[in-house]
Amino acid sequence: MRISELVERTGVPLATLKYYLREGLLPSGEATSATRAEYGEAHVRRVAVIRALTETVGLSVQKTREVLQLIDRPEDDLFQTLGSAIAALPPSVTQEAGAEYPRAKAVLAKLGQRYDPGFAAVAQLEQALAAAEAAGIPLDDERLAVYGPHVRAIAEFDVRSVPREPTAAVEYAVLGTALHEPVLVALRRLAHQDIAARLFGAGRAESKKPPAKAPTSKGRSRKGG
Amino acid sequence: MRISELVERTGVPLATLKYYLREGLLPSGEATSATRAEYGEAHVRRVAVIRALTETVGLSVQKTREVLQLIDRPEDDLFQTLGSAIAALPPSVTQEAGAEYPRAKAVLAKLGQRYDPGFAAVAQLEQALAAAEAAGIPLDDERLAVYGPHVRAIAEFDVRSVPREPTAAVEYAVLGTALHEPVLVALRRLAHQDIAARLFGAGRAESKKPPAKAPTSKGRSRKGG
């Protein structure tokens, strides 16, 4: 397709597509003359990925370029490549050399999880735990015993969904990590509202049938709210 | 305590405390003379809450003031007050009058959840779902069947933890919603890394005992990774 059709297919203005081409985010089309190039479905797909990274995730052009390079040329060590790509995602936390992450390490030990101390999410967890503590609502063992397994179940589904082919795997892992996160955040807030509405239920619109519950450790759904 | 001790107790500079006082975020101490005031534990606590809202959550002074007012003077309808306080939290999404939220409504219907269409989280969910769709990774029924119940289990614990007394309830709900969110986000990313490391396990540091799993619908933990 010509670039004019690429504009139509992607809904992205011509000036923006040209910007992506100039910045090396979007590969050139196949030149069919001095002034024309042919674009294909891979370009349509790539534009969607660029939009997601720059517009939704809010990455700079430079970071977007780095992530796209990892997608296009995954290193032999796919696990390493995945780590590098996801490390580019916000929120950025300053990772000082030799920094200790006492709260995060304690939590990860309780969860029995392995981690790479250089992984950005360790510093992110430390910052989040410190902030909750400073505000007087630390993550205690009771809360961790609930958060841990349910987050893990979500994460297991996420990892099972990753395609096998390395390029597709890096692209999926980056987009899935970044874009399903705000879905989960919004779903948690909406669940809070639904649960609180049922608790304060008197005088409100009639209750619907309660939603499906994740099974308890006894293996049966508890009845009632 | 004098304001100098409040500086020590809170770790916040004197100029900042005076700013909080001027902006009406921090109530005045009890005047013991024309130039001196006495502060108490409630002031220490209030400074921690102000720091959390302005520094960690990133609220403007104006929004912080609004939230603090809801904390201090909860309306008769606690559910309504909680909704207003949490609506002040980021991310802010433009809620246009008469906007439809087709994706969010479809998901909430599948979850059997009630919602207030005016609630900011509905618009946040719509925006998040639309972005995932545009990037080629929509929230399908299979993913929703996993995300839904596990998010709900987390949310049920959150709501059970809310204190009964209205002022404490509003403060807890706001801080808990805002500050445990980045903990959950970081835990998900770390779980991804742990699960992926076990999958790509050959040649890496020896595995630890796998962490506790949330029960499956069969009521038994599945063995293996």
Side-chain angles (χ1 to χ4, degrees):
Chain A
M1 70 191 82
R2 300 258 189 86
I3 199 165
S4 52
E5 192 181 336
L6 189 61
V7 168
E8 268 196 61
R9 288 287 310 276
T10 60
V12 173
L14 180 65
T16 308
L17 290 181
K18 289 189 166 182
Y19 174 68
Y20 292 163
L21 288 162
R22 274 200 315 277
E23 292 293 326
L25 301 179
L26 182 63
S28 312
E30 194 186 328
T32 53
S33 78
T35 52
R36 285 197 182 144
E38 282 290 307
Y39 298 89
E41 289 305 315
H43 289 91
V44 177
R45 174 76 201 131
R46 173 53 53 99
V47 171
V49 174
I50 296 167
R51 292 300 270 180
L53 293 175
T54 56
E55 298 293 313
T56 307
V57 181
L59 289 189
S60 67
V61 168
Q62 175 56 30
K63 278 228 183 290
T64 300
R65 193 183 294 118
E66 287 170 21
V67 172
L68 291 171
Q69 278 167 358
L70 290 164
I71 289 173
D72 288 341
R73 284 185 294 283
E75 302 293 321
D76 289 340
D77 188 337
L78 180 57
F79 181 74
Q80 194 68 26
T81 304
L82 289 169
S84 302
I86 287 160
L89 298 174
S92 54
V93 286
T94 36
Q95 290 175 260
E96 296 153 41
E100 292 298 317
Y101 302 116
R103 297 169 187 83
K105 288 181 175 177
V107 162
L108 291 165
K110 287 176 188 174
L111 292 175
Q113 281 183 12
R114 307 152 51 151
Y115 58 92
D116 175 351
F119 189 45
V122 178
Q124 287 162 5
L125 179 61
E126 181 68 26
Q127 184 170 277
L129 292 171
E133 195 177 294
I137 50 166
L139 187 79
D140 58 24
D141 287 349
E142 200 190 349
R143 183 175 300 270
L144 184 60
V146 173
Y147 280 14
H150 290 291
V151 168
R152 192 169 188 86
I154 286 168
E156 282 174 347
F157 180 86
D158 291 337
V159 175
R160 281 204 300 278
S161 308
V162 176
R164 297 282 165 181
E165 192 279 312
T167 287
V170 180
E171 184 185 292
Y172 184 93
V174 170
L175 295 179
T177 299
L179 298 184
H180 290 142
E181 210 165 81
V183 172
L184 288 161
V185 160
L187 286 176
R188 175 178 172 247
R189 292 191 190 189
L190 288 161
H192 286 156
Q193 192 195 32
D194 182 59
I195 294 161
R198 290 172 197 273
L199 277 181
F200 294 101
R204 293 186 179 285
E206 66 182 50
S207 296
K208 296 186 185 170
K209 190 169 103 85
K213 285 177 177 296
T216 65
S217 55
K218 292 188 178 167
R220 288 174 290 133
S221 293
R222 284 201 294 254
K223 290 203 189 300
Chain B
M1 70 192 85
R2 301 258 188 86
I3 199 165
S4 53
E5 193 182 335
L6 190 62
V7 168
E8 266 195 63
R9 289 286 309 277
T10 60
V12 173
L14 179 65
T16 308
L17 290 182
K18 290 189 167 181
Y19 173 68
Y20 292 164
L21 288 162
R22 275 200 313 279
E23 292 293 327
L25 301 179
L26 182 63
S28 311
E30 195 186 327
T32 53
S33 78
T35 53
R36 286 199 181 141
E38 281 289 307
Y39 298 89
E41 290 305 315
H43 288 92
V44 177
R45 175 74 200 132
R46 174 52 54 97
V47 170
V49 174
I50 295 167
R51 291 300 267 179
L53 293 176
T54 56
E55 299 294 314
T56 308
V57 181
L59 290 188
S60 66
V61 169
Q62 176 56 30
K63 277 228 182 291
T64 301
R65 194 182 292 118
E66 288 171 20
V67 172
L68 291 171
Q69 278 167 359
L70 289 165
I71 289 172
D72 289 340
R73 284 186 293 282
E75 302 293 321
D76 289 342
D77 187 338
L78 180 57
F79 181 73
Q80 195 67 29
T81 305
L82 290 168
S84 302
I86 287 161
L89 298 174
S92 53
V93 287
T94 36
Q95 291 175 258
E96 296 152 39
E100 292 298 317
Y101 303 117
R103 299 170 186 83
K105 287 181 175 175
V107 162
L108 291 165
K110 287 176 188 173
L111 292 173
Q113 281 185 9
R114 305 152 54 150
Y115 59 91
D116 174 348
F119 190 44
V122 178
Q124 287 163 4
L125 179 61
E126 183 67 26
Q127 182 171 278
L129 292 171
E133 194 177 295
I137 51 166
L139 188 80
D140 57 24
D141 286 349
E142 199 190 351
R143 183 177 300 270
L144 184 59
V146 173
Y147 279 13
H150 290 293
V151 167
R152 190 170 189 86
I154 287 168
E156 282 174 346
F157 180 86
D158 290 337
V159 175
R160 279 202 304 275
S161 309
V162 176
R164 296 282 167 183
E165 193 278 314
T167 287
V170 180
E171 184 185 291
Y172 184 94
V174 169
L175 295 179
T177 299
L179 299 184
H180 290 143
E181 210 164 82
V183 172
L184 288 162
V185 160
L187 286 177
R188 176 177 171 247
R189 292 191 189 188
L190 288 160
H192 287 156
Q193 192 193 32
D194 183 60
I195 293 161
R198 291 173 196 272
L199 277 181
F200 294 101
R204 295 191 176 283
E206 67 182 51
S207 297
K208 294 187 186 170
K209 188 168 104 81
K213 285 177 177 293
T216 65
S217 55
K218 292 191 178 162
R220 288 175 291 133
S221 293
R222 283 202 296 254
K223 289 201 188 312

